[in-house]
Amino acid sequence: MAHEPGPHTLDAEAVRTWSSLALAALGRAREDIDAINVYPVADADTGTNLYLTAEAADRALDESLADVTDPTAAPASLADAVRAYAHGALIGARGNSGTILAQLLRGVADVLGADPADPAGPADRAPGPLLAQALTRAAEEAYRAVAHPVEGTMLTVAGAAARAGAAAGTAAATAAEVARAAYDGARAALAETPGQLAELGKAGVVDAGGCGLVAVLGALWQALSGQEPAAEPVRGPAVPVPLALDPEPCGQEQGGPAYEVVYLLEASGEAVAGLRSGLDLLGDSLVVVGGDGLWNVHVHVDDPGAAVEAGVEAGRPYRIRITHFGDQRRRAAAPRAQRAVVAVVQGEGLAALCGEAGATTVLARPGEQPAAAELLDAVRRAHAREVVLLPGSPELRAAAAAAAEQARAEGVRVAVIPTRSAVQNLAALAVHDPDGSFDEDVVAMTAAAGATRYGELAVAERQSFTSAGICQAGDVLGLIDGDVAVIGAGLPETAEAVLKRMLGSGGELVTLVLGPEVPDTLAARLEAYVQHAHLAVDTVTYRGGRWSAPLLIGVE
């Protein structure tokens, strides 16, 4: 969401404007920053990772301040804003650079969000000195989060910004003056990075992560002063190496690990201390950020399974992402396909099934719907000029629209088909014609999805009022087109009742998707019912795999 560029005092609206301006600045610089990404791995994604992290932070901030225009609501505080901003970055951090940015924002939030009555809080709460202390804490926290800090990187730029801000942060200094000093200090430090890191000097570029941080600090100064930073070239003195032309796995090419592993982790501080030690032995580029029981873990390893297992031993890892650097590099080097399909599905078996049909998949886990940034990332991974996006859930319609809007701004033609279930995704994929015209393909896929009624079986977690009456915890709920139509005691009889109702209005094909704990005998019972009561109707059965619903039913 765009906001007025300032000037602002150091308050919640300043944070909101800073976030909006930072996101816009990173969006403009994304491709250029990707192009100069040579350290720690030349995978051409630093600009994208910073942008996606900033987008997640901006979205969380907007959601937390959604009631700020309500005249009956208390005004949002600076503490509320910076904490929401930092938490959003932590949840959505992508890659090495995004993870460090999240910790920088956490450091800022630790100071600006501190209780004024806390004796352990900042000594001077005048805006200028307070911001200087926040920038210092941010740099300190970022250095601590990285297992083996290297100079000539984003950390160096953050440290220089903090020192410059502290030097300017006298009692009489304004927040805008401190931000300007930090911005200037960061720019000067960034220009020196090619001489501090051999990889940068050889390529003739400045540090990519540091370049993104300069953009973020420029946005902070603009939010507080109302003055727009001058546009500067991203590249260093020489033309960067042609990263996209090297087909070899970049982690292996540089003698480093081949995989990037990232996950959120619920764990105690003591458990995370042990996790750091264990992951440090497994690989490199280790960054662990967060606190208060929630952490974002990033590491490069050759054994991704071991990295995930280490997280399981420490606590509860989720939103696990594993990227093979070689696959990433080859995708960047390959020419764009003409058309691709991106499908969101709940269940590993469904993801494999859609993948076999040619779709790029996004796996949605129960209670963890993917954000717009994850959908946009999938559109980019599809690497096509035209993309059909299948959200597979009404709850994802807004996120799909936001991802499509951003992809269009990047030159990709995107159509969102408002599928409401995985079985509608399957129906749309069945008629997908990559060789036909884009418009005709979208129309055909939309018609196929719309002609598919969808049912689902779920287990009630608590007593609740439904459209079919009151259910108790443990009851089996049969949903048709999103509404509860049947409440039953057992899975087989409820499933048959749902299927009977769905076929009551006709149909030619029944699709059954069984969850991981559902026996094959249920499919056999439903298939027998269809064969006996609806001779002209065919039935196909799939396994949804881990994280899928107990049963999905599609009737076309």
Side-chain angles (χ1 to χ4, degrees):
M1 182 182 294
H3 301 282
E4 293 298 322
H8 289 288
T9 56
L10 191 58
D11 57 13
E13 191 58 31
V15 176
R16 196 171 196 172
T17 303
W18 175 27
S19 174
S20 178
L21 292 171
L23 182 62
L26 289 170
R28 290 190 298 270
R30 182 184 63 81
E31 291 186 357
D32 285 339
I33 295 175
D34 281 346
I36 64 169
N37 175 201
V38 298
Y39 185 86
V41 174
D43 48 357
D45 67 353
T46 291
T48 297
N49 287 335
L50 285 169
Y51 177 83
L52 292 175
T53 303
E55 183 188 49
D58 186 69
R59 183 174 57 255
L61 178 59
D62 268 343
E63 290 173 355
S64 75
L65 302 181
D67 294 330
V68 74
T69 57
D70 184 348
T72 65
S77 68
L78 173 62
D80 292 336
V82 292
R83 288 170 185 158
Y85 192 33
H87 183 73
L90 173 67
I91 294 296
R94 305 297 287 263
N96 190 69
S97 56
T99 307
I100 293 173
L101 177 61
Q103 191 70 351
L104 288 167
L105 293 178
R106 178 180 174 85
V108 169
D110 284 347
V111 174
L112 298 187
D115 184 348
D118 186 354
D124 191 343
R125 296 198 64 86
L130 185 66
L131 181 59
Q133 294 172 76
L135 294 171
T136 298
R137 177 73 66 85
E140 292 171 350
E141 291 290 337
Y143 267 92
R144 278 195 286 266
V146 177
H148 301 285
V150 175
E151 296 304 327
T153 65
M154 189 176 182
L155 295 175
T156 305
V157 176
R163 290 189 295 273
T170 63
T174 67
E177 290 168 343
V178 171
R180 176 58 193 261
Y183 173 54
D184 287 343
R187 291 164 64 204
L190 179 66
E192 298 298 321
T193 55
Q196 296 174 303
L197 198 57
E199 290 88 342
L200 302 180
K202 182 180 178 181
V205 297
V206 295
D207 179 65
C211 187
L213 181 56
V214 166
V216 172
L217 290 170
L220 174 61
W221 173 56
Q222 183 179 359
L224 293 171
S225 69
Q227 301 179 56
E228 186 173 354
E232 298 182 61
V234 170
R235 289 172 172 79
V239 177
V241 291
L243 304 178
L245 298 182
D246 182 357
E248 292 303 314
C250 47
Q252 296 170 359
E253 169 201 9
Q254 297 176 358
Y259 294 90
E260 177 186 63
V261 178
V262 181
Y263 49 81
L264 292 176
L265 178 70
E266 293 178 355
S268 66
E270 294 78 8
V272 168
L275 175 68
R276 289 179 193 267
S277 300
L279 291 179
D280 196 25
L281 297 174
L282 287 177
D284 59 28
S285 296
L286 173 61
V287 185
V288 181
V289 304
D292 302 321
L294 180 63
W295 310 83
N296 193 307
V297 180
H298 170 281
V299 67
H300 295 173
V301 293
D302 281 321
D303 186 350
V308 175
E309 283 298 319
V312 172
E313 292 176 5
R316 186 179 81 90
Y318 60 103
R319 290 194 184 178
I320 301 166
R321 294 193 303 273
I322 299 174
T323 304
H324 188 278
F325 291 125
D327 292 343
Q328 192 175 42
R329 177 73 74 82
R330 281 188 289 272
R331 190 164 53 241
R336 284 186 179 273
Q338 181 59 36
R339 189 175 310 149
V341 177
V342 171
V344 183
V345 292
Q346 187 169 306
E348 292 179 337
L350 279 170
L353 187 63
C354 291
E356 291 171 2
T360 298
T361 60
V362 179
L363 185 60
R365 297 174 177 85
E368 297 177 23
Q369 293 284 15
E374 294 176 74
L375 302 187
L376 177 59
D377 186 40
V379 171
R380 289 171 175 156
R381 285 190 287 112
H383 204 57
R385 298 181 182 89
E386 301 168 339
V387 172
V388 180
L389 179 53
L390 307 175
S393 168
E395 286 79 18
L396 284 176
R397 189 170 298 177
E405 182 180 0
Q406 178 59 35
R408 292 183 191 113
E410 298 172 9
V412 181
R413 189 180 184 189
V414 182
V416 178
I417 297 177
T419 52
R420 301 167 64 86
S421 170
V423 291
Q424 290 188 333
N425 285 356
L426 294 176
L429 279 168
V431 299
H432 169 51
D433 180 10
D435 299 322
S437 77
F438 184 69
D439 290 337
E440 291 175 351
D441 195 23
V442 171
V443 168
M445 294 176 73
T446 302
T452 302
R453 301 189 68 197
Y454 61 96
E456 178 179 344
L457 263 62
V459 178
E461 296 180 355
R462 58 186 178 276
Q463 185 185 66
S464 181
F465 292 93
T466 75
S467 53
I470 299 175
C471 70
Q472 306 295 328
D475 283 348
V476 178
L477 306 180
L479 291 83
I480 298 176
D481 294 337
D483 295 321
V484 177
V486 179
I487 299 175
L491 198 66
E493 55 268 31
T494 307
E496 188 169 319
V498 168
L499 183 56
K500 183 177 181 179
R501 289 199 185 192
M502 294 180 70
L503 285 171
S505 55
E508 299 176 355
L509 175 66
V510 171
T511 301
L512 305 174
V513 181
L514 276 61
E517 306 300 326
V518 175
D520 291 333
T521 52
L522 176 61
R525 173 173 174 163
L526 297 179
E527 289 170 359
Y529 165 75
V530 173
Q531 290 173 1
H532 175 74
H534 302 273
L535 296 177
V537 178
D538 295 324
T539 305
V540 293
T541 302
Y542 304 108
R543 276 286 177 183
R546 185 169 56 156
W547 293 314
S548 67
L551 178 66
L552 297 176
I553 302 173
V555 174
E556 302 175 47

